[in-house]
Amino acid sequence: MLIKTRGILFKALKYSETSLILDVYTEEKGLQKYIISGVRSKGAKMKMGILQPTSLLDLVAYYRENKPINRIKEVKAAYIYQHLPFDVLKGTIGLFMVELAQKTIKEEEANPRLFNFLFQQFQQLDQLTTTPSNFHLFYLIQLTEYLGFAPTASWSTATPFFDLREGRFVAEEPLHQYATNKVISEQIGLLLNRQAPVLTRKERQALLEVLIDFYRIHVENFTGLNTHAVLKEVLEG
């Protein structure tokens, strides 16, 4: 059967001389793997620029349940980036976002709320007119809501510590190692309330490390992120 769906391109690998294998998170069928033929040939009508990680796509694809790889019949851009591919910081944050999504989303089924969140996040990153220094931190926090382990309760002076293992703010500093100090706990509380904490580069990096540790604890087989080091260099540059 043929399906029409929007998709977010997570990964593209060369296959044979002219083809690509794509990992795409789709609106209709969740995470899917596709092969698209002829796109790397000299006479290809399609521009390779729309088949890069972070690309937002409109697809017409064949679908057969339990088939590991299906074929794409038609593909075009669902949204054309104006800035993300040409801005080093935005582009690096975009790749970080893709890798995080790829390492946390495994379901081959529709999840409209999650899909729409991701789709809108990439659009918003592209459209930002200010330096998006904290965008990835908000993304890390907000994505937990859709993955099922969002922090509970709120930061307050009465509950000034964040317990990473329990995913909540607590009154007493936990005895185990998976907890944050008062400063980082308050920063997490601000992010949860959609408020931007004022951070130095060192503080931003420390907060990023803590949030990645939060994912390590709550996402099965989460091994960390390759783009993490690149993002650190760009933010410190």
Side-chain angles (χ1 to χ4, degrees):
M1 63 178 288
L2 280 174
I3 62 167
K4 293 182 179 181
T5 182
R6 291 187 299 170
I8 303 166
L9 182 54
F10 282 179
K11 190 175 183 180
L13 292 175
K14 295 178 181 179
Y15 179 75
S16 75
E17 293 185 2
T18 62
S19 303
L20 291 173
I21 291 180
L22 310 178
D23 289 344
V24 183
Y25 186 59
T26 70
E27 187 170 17
E28 297 296 323
K29 298 295 180 181
L31 192 61
Q32 294 291 314
K33 192 177 289 289
Y34 294 112
I35 185 169
I36 181 167
S37 301
V39 291
R40 296 175 54 230
S41 62
K42 291 183 179 180
K45 296 180 180 179
M46 184 185 306
K47 293 183 179 180
M48 287 291 293
I50 73 164
L51 294 178
Q52 304 296 324
T54 72
S55 291
L56 305 179
L57 305 171
D58 278 325
L59 303 169
V60 178
Y62 294 95
Y63 176 76
R64 185 181 299 173
E65 192 172 358
N66 298 322
K67 187 174 181 180
I69 302 180
N70 287 289
R71 284 192 172 272
I72 290 177
K73 183 181 180 183
E74 300 174 19
V75 60
K76 63 181 180 180
Y79 173 84
I80 298 175
Y81 288 121
Q82 300 300 311
H83 305 287
L84 193 148
F86 317 107
D87 183 297
V88 173
L89 179 54
K90 286 186 177 184
T92 305
I93 291 174
L95 292 176
F96 173 88
M97 291 165 60
V98 159
E99 187 184 11
L100 182 64
Q102 187 176 28
K103 290 193 172 183
T104 55
I105 301 169
K106 305 298 180 184
E107 295 80 10
E108 295 181 8
E109 58 187 35
N111 186 334
R113 286 185 67 251
L114 174 56
F115 180 87
N116 286 326
F117 166 74
L118 292 173
F119 199 93
Q120 291 167 9
Q121 286 287 294
F122 285 106
Q123 289 179 312
Q124 289 173 16
L125 176 61
D126 183 59
Q127 295 165 6
L128 277 179
T129 56
T130 56
T131 303
S133 301
N134 294 327
F135 192 90
H136 59 300
L137 301 177
F138 281 108
Y139 174 75
L140 278 157
I141 283 288
Q142 292 176 56
L143 183 58
T144 63
E145 299 176 18
Y146 300 89
L147 298 177
F149 60 95
T152 57
S154 300
W155 177 90
S156 70
T157 54
T159 54
F161 300 99
F162 184 63
D163 188 321
L164 294 169
R165 192 165 64 186
E166 299 298 324
R168 62 190 178 93
F169 295 94
V170 294
E172 301 292 333
E173 186 173 7
L175 297 177
H176 57 75
Q177 62 180 318
Y178 302 110
T180 63
N181 60 40
K182 290 183 178 181
V183 173
I184 290 180
S185 297
E186 184 175 3
Q187 293 166 355
I188 293 173
L190 288 170
L191 290 173
L192 285 167
N193 288 326
R194 306 293 195 268
Q195 299 177 48
V198 178
L199 302 169
T200 64
R201 290 178 179 177
K202 187 175 180 179
E203 288 172 333
R204 184 175 293 109
Q205 185 59 34
L207 182 53
L208 175 59
E209 297 284 357
V210 165
L211 293 177
I212 290 175
D213 283 342
F214 188 47
Y215 275 76
R216 283 194 181 97
I217 293 169
H218 293 278
V219 177
E220 187 176 0
N221 299 321
F222 187 81
T223 57
L225 302 168
N226 297 322
T227 52
H228 171 204
V230 179
L231 180 58
K232 177 182 176 181
E233 289 184 11
V234 172
L235 287 170
E236 291 181 350

